[in-house]
Amino acid sequence: PQELIRVKRDGGRLSDAETIFLGLEAGDLKQAYHPAALGAIYLADNRLDEALPKLDRALTLDPKHPDATCNRADVYRRLGKYPEAMRDLEHMLKIDTNPESPHVKRAKALLVATIGAMNGVTAEPNVAGKAEHGEPDGAPAGKSSLPK
């Protein structure tokens, strides 16, 4: 995640980060970190249909991966798949119970946004600070939806 944060800080070259993580993923198919990072890159670039299978893969490899869990919930929310988003957010709140955790804060913000979207409210969550893989909600800077 630190590599992705650095790439985003150095000009937002998501395509460079994508190239790096595609190579890393191909070299180590048992590591959840690489597909989770690719899912975050695709989410930040609003490539939701590409993000979802990468995040699914990361969570198959590591069902408790917090970044992948929050990011997949955000993808589901953005796609209007609210029950799936809620399932991932509830799972996130079970695997990390520390109320000060950035993942928990992001999950709670996404939970509020998902419930709001289910009720016709379209406001994006507002979560201060950055989490791994970019903004707190996985969105690019200034387009918060996040975890984040």
Side-chain angles (χ1 to χ4, degrees):
Q2 293 304 318
E3 293 90 351
L4 178 56
I5 292 168
R6 190 175 329 105
V7 166
K8 287 187 72 171
R9 241 185 269 141
D10 292 343
R13 297 182 317 264
L14 292 177
S15 63
D16 292 347
E18 178 182 6
T19 301
I20 291 166
F21 281 104
L22 282 169
L24 290 170
E25 181 186 38
D28 187 356
L29 298 175
K30 295 181 180 180
Q31 184 72 248
Y33 173 88
H34 305 125
L38 284 164
I41 290 166
Y42 298 146
L43 174 61
D45 204 25
N46 206 34
R47 293 159 53 189
L48 305 180
D49 291 335
E50 294 173 78
L52 193 54
K54 293 299 182 182
L55 297 167
D56 286 343
R57 174 80 179 135
L59 289 167
T60 296
L61 294 168
D62 180 1
K64 294 183 178 182
H65 194 289
D67 294 311
T69 302
C70 284
N71 284 340
R72 187 172 74 176
D74 197 14
V75 169
Y76 282 141
R77 181 186 65 84
R78 292 183 192 193
L79 292 172
K81 297 182 176 185
Y82 305 126
E84 293 89 341
M86 295 293 286
R87 182 193 66 225
D88 278 353
L89 294 169
E90 290 170 3
H91 177 65
M92 181 66 241
L93 295 173
K94 288 179 185 173
I95 61 175
D96 187 347
T97 59
N98 177 359
E100 297 305 312
S101 160
H103 297 106
V104 170
K105 289 178 180 180
R106 180 178 177 218
K108 287 180 179 180
L110 285 169
L111 190 61
V112 168
T114 302
I115 292 169
M118 291 168 61
N119 292 312
V121 178
T122 59
E124 291 293 313
N126 182 10
V127 181
K130 294 188 178 196
E132 292 190 69
H133 301 299
E135 289 298 308
D137 59 359
K143 295 185 180 178
S144 180
S145 68
L146 303 302
K148 277 215 158 7

